[in-house]
Amino acid sequence: MNEQCDVLNHRHRMAQQAGRASVELYTNLFFKGKTVEEPGYVTQILQNGFSVLIPSYGIEGVVYTTAKDSQAPAALEYVKSDNALVSADASQSIRLFQRVRVMLQVDDKPVSANVSSMRRKLLLQLTEPQIPGLSVSAEELKQLKTAAKKSTAEDESRIVELVTKHPEQVQTV
């Protein structure tokens, strides 16, 4: 009986992992080549960032206050008594349930050296409120959106070119 329970638990865990991997794959495919700015709500304050829920896509992700490999000081510091991230001059802060705007895009860098370079991660960056050293400026956001549109147009033109050169290899669905 114990052995059968272990097998069922293992199968259940594997099914959960497969479901999560599927959601991650299709989310990354949807956002590949796109740069989207959406409103979100802070759901959790961490020492090195904060979690944001983006209701329009049903996505929750983390906005980090410092890069992993960066030695620069964080733009916001964690204040345990307030459970908030506060700037050095205390003029700006990120608090629980605060409405923010974030930029979503698929990060082109591999997640880590130990993971296959095929795996990409959804990158969330703060756009509003504007916090120096953390937020993406309006100009940078515009440049990223333009670059994403250009790469999408290039991909589409390559597909059209391949289809017109080799129509016999195109399968209809």
Side-chain angles (χ1 to χ4, degrees):
M1 182 67 135
N2 192 24
E3 197 174 307
Q4 190 174 15
C5 287
D6 288 342
V7 169
L8 290 173
N9 286 335
H10 176 73
R11 291 177 125 193
H12 179 70
R13 267 192 306 282
M14 294 298 109
Q16 284 182 325
Q17 287 180 356
R20 289 179 188 134
S22 175
V23 168
E24 181 181 9
L25 171 68
Y26 284 104
T27 301
N28 285 347
L29 286 174
F30 179 78
F31 285 106
K32 184 179 180 183
K34 294 181 184 176
T35 299
V36 180
E37 185 184 17
E38 287 291 326
Y41 298 92
V42 177
T43 58
Q44 184 179 13
I45 303 291
L46 308 168
Q47 289 186 355
N48 63 339
F50 54 95
S51 293
V52 177
L53 172 67
I54 297 112
S56 56
Y57 294 111
I59 295 173
E60 187 172 8
V62 178
V63 176
Y64 293 100
T65 55
T66 56
K68 268 186 183 177
D69 53 355
S70 175
Q71 297 298 327
L76 299 172
E77 294 295 325
Y78 179 69
V79 178
K80 187 175 183 175
S81 61
D82 294 340
N83 191 30
L85 293 167
V86 181
S87 62
D89 62 356
S91 64
Q92 295 177 315
S93 65
I94 300 290
R95 300 189 183 283
L96 203 57
F97 305 120
Q98 179 178 343
R99 188 172 191 269
V100 295
R101 288 189 69 81
V102 291
M103 179 188 70
L104 295 103
Q105 67 182 40
V106 176
D107 193 2
D108 289 335
K109 297 181 290 276
V111 175
S112 70
N114 298 336
V115 179
S116 168
S117 63
M118 296 299 290
R119 185 168 177 193
R120 303 293 185 228
K121 191 172 182 180
L122 193 63
L123 176 67
L124 277 70
Q125 293 179 295
L126 186 68
T127 58
E128 286 178 23
Q130 276 292 318
I131 299 174
L134 178 63
S135 299
V136 176
S137 70
E139 185 178 307
E140 288 174 312
L141 183 62
K142 187 176 178 181
Q143 288 174 350
L144 288 168
K145 284 183 178 180
T146 304
K149 284 180 186 175
K150 184 179 178 184
S151 68
T152 303
E154 289 172 358
D155 290 344
E156 288 174 359
S157 66
R158 272 189 268 149
I159 291 169
V160 169
E161 181 182 329
L162 287 172
V163 168
T164 54
K165 282 185 178 179
H166 306 287
E168 70 281 354
Q169 294 182 359
V170 176
Q171 295 179 358
T172 57
V173 178

